């Protein structure tokens, strides 16, 4: 009888010491606050719900819930009925109203000002004001909970090595059914490195980034010291070198702006750009070179328009123009492709001027985690008639010079990227990164997948089979985790069943889109104070922003204006819209005409 009694008393002690908020009793975004060691109360303020656990809807809330279609239904409507959407896209007031709703409904899911961070699971001035932290969407699981996910699941999470090897490791390359290409893959990696900058010396809760958004620090450098090293300090331009008549980044030796290169890389191939890691792969250096050329091109235009301006004003104005170009490309090309919508997304800050909207942003740790899209990477990289393995590709800037940007753009536009959702598609070469994502998530004590789904107004999964859409992985996951409410966020995003014919599952889109749109539209240049021609050097600069696209970026900076997009193209597609693939001078091809023809073809 002694042993059972000991066990009983141990269980009683555990139940008494456990934080009552570990079970996440407060629903519908209610906030759990402990009262003593074994009591809690739910703060339901402005949630639209009331009751002990914020589960009873107010009348207006009930009506909204009743009338609101499920995310899957909305997605189906937006990705079907092309003819109807073509009509809506051409009715300005209707199109604008829908776009405004898209922006506001997504952005309002992101807390602004920020609420929590990796060390503060309650509101505090430190969590709000300390920019060295990533913010947190949900507070960390308390240390004194019975299980790593609160109260559900097993006492210990499964070995992360087992998770990556059984569920994430690629057996055979699975192409993305949406037709995402490698041009998109490197854009995603290049673009996000300006705000995903984990400080690995401090830990995964911390960021080295100061801007927490689209500030183009990956082009201009995070600090003023690095920026000045990269600047020509004449006519607003960045330093560059000319090789075979084309502009490329300067070397580390010339700028003294250090980069992360292994010792074997020769000095003349150690290109120096804003983000110190961009020497890693030629795809990143391709985009770094494109934006270098674009910055200096814009400076030439501004100099002609404003001969009275000094170097500083030319530089600062060109930077604002490039920020505007980036946001427009991300919304109208990048997010448009990912969405698969027939509804045409539009970058128009004026849509929000009459709305309650805060022009600030903080990068969330969860956003950083979900953006690890390594399944996009193919097994090898094909440029012209050459194929490069990962080992041949990394730290090899000679590829950029050997092939040139024109051939890189053509080749990456035609090569298909991998599907992200569905599991078992992470290349072996980057498996360590996937494992680190799981380990860091555990260190950050992320709440479960279902907790995040509920926070973003999605129904929690009832089973592993509902999550994966099949039986084999579902059974293995259930054996390892024990309970669907204990399933971890990051591996769940990669094993979740994709939406029909899509690159992602529902959770990735419904969590990622709010972070993305709030971060883009919360930029200072989108505010009423900034969004006017004078901010961008007059109408000429404003027009550069308002006509930007991935195609115009290429046409203005790459010989021959090779046709590109974020989805795979082929020679037949290019031929149908009369795209020249010869070395025609860039200015001979009108991007506006090209894009009009492409739109008609689609």
């Amino acid at each position: 009888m002694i042993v059972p009694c000991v066990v009983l008393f141990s269980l009683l002690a555990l139940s008494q010491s456990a934080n009552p908020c570990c079970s996440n009793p407060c629903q519908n975004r209610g906030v759990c606050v402990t009262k003593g060691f074994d009591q809690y109360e739910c703060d339901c303020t402005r949630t639209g719900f009331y009751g002990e656990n914020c589960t009873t809807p107010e009348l207006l809330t009930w009506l909204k819930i009743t009338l609101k279609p499920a995310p899957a239904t909305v997605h189906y409507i937006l990705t079907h009925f092309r003819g109807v959407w073509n009509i809506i896209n051409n009715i300005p007031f209707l199109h604008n109203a829908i776009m405004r709703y898209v922006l506001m409904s997504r952005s309002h899911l992101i807390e602004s000002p920020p609420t929590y961070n990796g060390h503060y699971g309650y509101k505090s001035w430190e969590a709000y004001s300390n920019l060295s932290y990533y913010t947190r969407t949900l507070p960390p699981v308390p240390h004194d909970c019975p299980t790593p996910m609160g109260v559900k699941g097993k006492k210990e999470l499964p070995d992360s090595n087992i998770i990556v090897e059984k569920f994430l490791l690629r057996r055979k390359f699975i192409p993305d059914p949406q037709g995402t290409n490698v041009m998109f893959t490197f854009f995603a990696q290049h673009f996000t490195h300006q705000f995903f900058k984990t400080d690995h010396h401090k830990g995964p809760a911390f960021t080295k980034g100061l801007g927490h958004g689209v500030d183009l620090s990956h082009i201009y450098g995070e600090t003023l010291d690095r920026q000045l090293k990269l600047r020509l300090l004449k006519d607003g331009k960045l330093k560059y070198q000319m090789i075979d008549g084309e502009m490329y980044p300067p070397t580390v030796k010339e700028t003294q702006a250090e980069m992360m290169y292994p010792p074997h890389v020769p000095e003349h191939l150690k290109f120096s750009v804003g983000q110190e890691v961009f020497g890693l792969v030629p795809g990143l250096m391709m985009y770094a070179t494109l934006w270098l050329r674009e910055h200096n091109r814009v400076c030439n235009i501004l100099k002609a328009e404003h001969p009275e301006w000094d170097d500083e004003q030319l530089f600062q104005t060109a930077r604002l123009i490039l920020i505007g170009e980036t946001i427009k490309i991300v919304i109208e090309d990048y997010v448009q492709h990912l969405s698969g919508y027939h509804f045409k997304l539009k970058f128009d800050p004026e849509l929000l001027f009459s709305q309650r909207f805060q022009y600030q942003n903080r990068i969330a740790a969860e956003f950083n985690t979900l953006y690890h899209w390594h399944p996009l990477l193919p097994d090898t990289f094909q440029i012209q008639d050459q194929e490069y393995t990962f080992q041949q590709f990394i730290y090899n800037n000679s590829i950029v010079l050997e092939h040139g940007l024109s051939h890189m753009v053509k080749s990456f536009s035609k090569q298909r990227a991998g599907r992200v959702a569905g599991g078992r598609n992470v290349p072996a070469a980057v498996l360590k990164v996937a494992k680190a994502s799981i380990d860091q998530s555990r260190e950050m004590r992320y709440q479960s997948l279902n907790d995040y789904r509920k926070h973003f107004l999605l129904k929690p999964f009832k089973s592993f089979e509902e999550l994966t859409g099949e039986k084999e992985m579902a059974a293995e996951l259930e054996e390892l985790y024990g309970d669907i409410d204990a399933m971890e966020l990051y591996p769940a995003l990669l094993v979740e069943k994709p939406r029909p014919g899509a690159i992602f599952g529902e959770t990735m889109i419904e969590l990622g889109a709010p972070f993305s749109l709030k971060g883009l539209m919360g930029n200072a240049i989108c505010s009423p104070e900034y969004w006017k021609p004078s901010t961008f050097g007059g109408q000429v600069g404003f027009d550069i922003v308002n006509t930007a696209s991935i195609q115009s970026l290429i046409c203005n900076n790459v010989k021959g204006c090779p046709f590109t997009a974020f989805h795979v193209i082929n020679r037949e597609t290019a031929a149908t819209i009369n795209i020249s693939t010869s070395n025609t001078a860039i200015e001979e091809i009108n991007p506006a005409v090209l894009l009009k023809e492409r739109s008609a073809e689609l």
Side-chain angles (χ1 to χ4, degrees):
M1 292 293 292
I2 296 177
V3 174
C5 287
V6 170
V7 173
L8 177 62
F9 282 120
S10 297
L11 289 173
L12 287 171
L14 180 63
S15 65
Q16 290 175 351
S17 63
N19 186 324
C21 290
C22 286
S23 61
N24 293 323
C26 306
Q27 302 299 300
N28 300 302
R29 294 191 163 208
V31 179
C32 185
V33 181
T34 57
K35 294 179 66 177
F37 293 100
D38 58 357
Q39 300 292 321
Y40 72 91
E41 65 180 5
C42 293
D43 184 350
C44 308
T45 305
R46 287 183 292 278
T47 62
F49 293 82
Y50 62 94
E52 182 181 0
N53 292 332
C54 308
T55 54
T56 305
E58 298 170 359
L59 178 60
L60 185 58
T61 303
W62 178 84
L63 286 172
K64 288 180 179 178
I65 294 172
T66 303
L67 297 174
K68 185 179 179 181
T73 303
V74 174
H75 181 78
Y76 181 86
I77 293 171
L78 288 167
T79 54
H80 291 74
F81 315 110
R82 181 193 293 270
V84 175
W85 288 114
N86 286 342
I87 295 171
I88 292 173
N89 290 334
N90 288 287
I91 303 176
F93 81 90
L94 187 56
H95 180 261
N96 287 346
I98 295 174
M99 189 67 210
R100 185 181 297 110
Y101 173 77
V102 169
L103 292 172
M104 293 304 297
S105 62
R106 296 292 196 182
S107 298
H108 277 170
L109 292 172
I110 303 302
E111 286 75 12
S112 184
T115 48
Y116 313 109
N117 65 27
H119 291 128
Y120 289 89
Y122 50 88
K123 305 288 176 36
S124 68
W125 191 255
E126 182 71 9
Y128 163 74
S129 63
N130 192 335
L131 297 179
S132 67
Y133 282 94
Y134 288 116
T135 189
R136 286 285 292 268
T137 301
L138 290 180
V141 175
H143 284 289
D144 53 353
C145 291
T147 73
M149 289 295 159
V151 298
K152 297 294 182 71
K154 300 184 177 182
K155 300 292 183 184
E156 292 185 5
L157 290 168
D159 189 324
S160 57
N161 284 305
I162 294 176
I163 299 299
V164 296
E165 290 170 8
K166 287 178 72 72
F167 306 106
L168 305 188
L169 174 63
R170 176 179 292 165
R171 275 65 168 170
K172 181 181 179 182
F173 176 70
I174 305 171
D176 168 40
Q178 273 184 240
T180 304
N181 61 18
V182 175
M183 197 72 182
F184 175 95
T185 301
F186 288 123
F187 186 94
Q189 191 176 15
H190 185 270
F191 167 72
T192 58
H193 269 72
Q194 65 188 299
F195 44 77
F196 294 150
K197 298 179 179 180
T198 301
D199 190 331
H200 296 290
H201 294 292
K202 291 183 177 179
F206 295 89
T207 174
K208 293 184 289 185
L210 303 176
H212 281 269
V214 180
D215 59 3
L216 304 197
S217 56
H218 62 324
I219 298 173
Y220 302 110
E222 185 66 52
T223 65
L224 180 59
D225 177 66
R226 187 174 184 88
Q227 178 198 119
L228 292 173
K229 289 177 179 179
L230 294 170
R231 285 173 60 176
L232 188 62
L233 300 179
K234 179 181 179 182
D235 297 335
K237 294 184 177 181
L238 296 170
K239 290 178 180 177
Y240 62 93
Q241 60 175 318
M242 299 300 293
I243 301 174
D244 295 331
E246 294 194 79
M247 184 182 296
Y248 288 95
T251 63
V252 171
K253 184 177 181 180
E254 181 182 351
T255 65
Q256 296 302 303
E258 289 300 321
M259 298 283 291
M260 295 178 65
Y261 288 109
H264 72 267
V265 177
E267 292 296 326
H268 75 282
L269 291 177
K270 290 183 178 179
F271 294 155
S272 184
V273 296
Q275 169 56 265
E276 61 268 19
V277 304
F278 278 178
L280 177 65
V281 288
L284 294 175
M285 195 56 68
M286 175 192 72
Y287 273 111
T289 304
L290 276 170
W291 286 111
L292 165 67
R293 294 178 182 182
E294 178 66 2
H295 176 90
N296 287 351
R297 184 188 76 88
V298 168
C299 284
N300 286 337
I301 294 172
L302 290 174
K303 178 70 174 178
E305 188 77 5
H306 298 284
E308 75 282 9
W309 283 7
D310 62 10
D311 168 74
E312 187 67 17
Q313 189 164 3
L314 290 168
F315 170 82
Q316 297 294 349
T317 305
R319 181 172 185 166
L320 291 176
I321 290 173
L322 264 67
I323 289 173
E325 288 187 81
T326 297
I327 296 175
K328 189 169 192 295
I329 289 171
V330 171
I331 290 178
E332 296 190 4
D333 288 321
Y334 181 91
V335 177
Q336 180 75 64
H337 166 68
L338 282 181
S339 71
Y341 294 167
H342 295 314
F343 173 72
K344 187 176 180 181
L345 301 179
K346 178 183 181 182
F347 173 51
D348 182 0
E350 292 186 18
L351 293 174
L352 300 182
F353 286 178
S354 62
Q355 306 297 308
R356 174 179 163 267
F357 192 80
Q358 296 190 6
Y359 293 95
Q360 60 175 337
N361 188 59
R362 283 280 290 277
I363 297 298
E366 295 96 339
F367 189 35
N368 181 16
T369 297
L370 73 81
Y371 228 115
H372 284 70
W373 296 346
H374 293 97
L376 285 169
L377 292 166
D379 290 328
T380 59
F381 304 91
Q382 298 180 15
I383 307 176
Q384 290 181 275
D385 58 352
Q386 294 192 46
E387 185 175 52
Y388 296 93
T389 64
F390 275 87
Q391 290 70 28
Q392 294 169 324
F393 207 60
I394 61 171
Y395 294 116
N396 191 358
N397 284 333
S398 66
I399 291 174
V400 180
L401 299 181
E402 178 183 345
H403 296 283
L405 263 58
S406 180
H407 287 299
M408 293 182 76
V409 169
K410 292 176 187 176
S411 298
F412 290 159
S413 297
K414 291 185 290 186
Q415 185 174 6
R416 192 179 291 259
R419 189 183 70 189
V420 176
R424 296 174 178 164
N425 207 24
V426 176
V430 291
L431 209 59
K432 288 183 179 179
V433 183
K435 180 184 182 304
S437 297
I438 297 173
D439 292 340
Q440 290 173 6
S441 298
R442 293 174 178 182
E443 185 179 343
M444 297 273 278
R445 306 196 315 282
Y446 282 171
Q447 294 189 32
S448 72
L449 166 72
N450 272 343
D451 288 326
Y452 281 100
R453 283 182 62 86
K454 288 188 286 186
H455 183 83
F456 284 89
L457 310 183
L458 299 171
K459 290 183 178 179
F461 287 122
K462 296 178 180 178
S463 67
F464 287 96
E465 190 170 331
E466 186 182 6
L467 166 66
T468 63
E470 51 82 89
K471 297 182 181 297
E472 179 197 344
M473 278 197 297
E476 293 176 331
L477 286 167
E478 185 165 16
E479 183 180 351
L480 289 169
Y481 284 97
D483 193 310
I484 186 62
D485 286 330
M487 184 64 205
E488 297 177 89
L489 177 66
Y490 177 68
L493 291 169
L494 295 191
V495 302
E496 183 179 7
K497 63 180 181 294
R499 278 174 162 163
I503 187 172
F504 295 135
E506 178 184 68
T507 312
M508 184 77 82
I509 289 291
E510 299 302 321
L511 269 63
F515 287 123
S516 178
L517 292 176
K518 176 62 173 72
L520 294 168
M521 300 306 297
N523 194 284
I525 72 157
C526 299
S527 67
E529 291 75 18
Y530 274 70
W531 188 252
K532 55 187 71 173
S534 57
T535 299
F536 306 98
Q539 195 60 46
V540 169
F542 207 31
D543 287 344
I544 294 174
V545 174
N546 284 313
T547 59
S549 68
I550 186 61
Q551 183 66 71
S552 67
L553 177 66
I554 298 302
C555 281
N556 288 325
N557 297 288
V558 180
K559 285 183 177 180
C561 180
F563 179 71
T564 191
F566 287 137
H567 54 84
V568 287
I569 59 173
N570 51 42
R571 188 169 298 176
E572 290 72 23
T573 303
T576 61
I577 51 175
N578 301 315
I579 301 301
S580 171
T581 55
S582 65
N583 286 330
T584 309
I586 294 169
E587 57 270 20
E588 291 178 9
I589 296 179
N590 186 332
V593 173
L594 183 148
L595 293 175
K596 183 177 180 181
E597 292 172 339
R598 176 59 180 157
S599 297
E601 184 267 334
L602 288 174

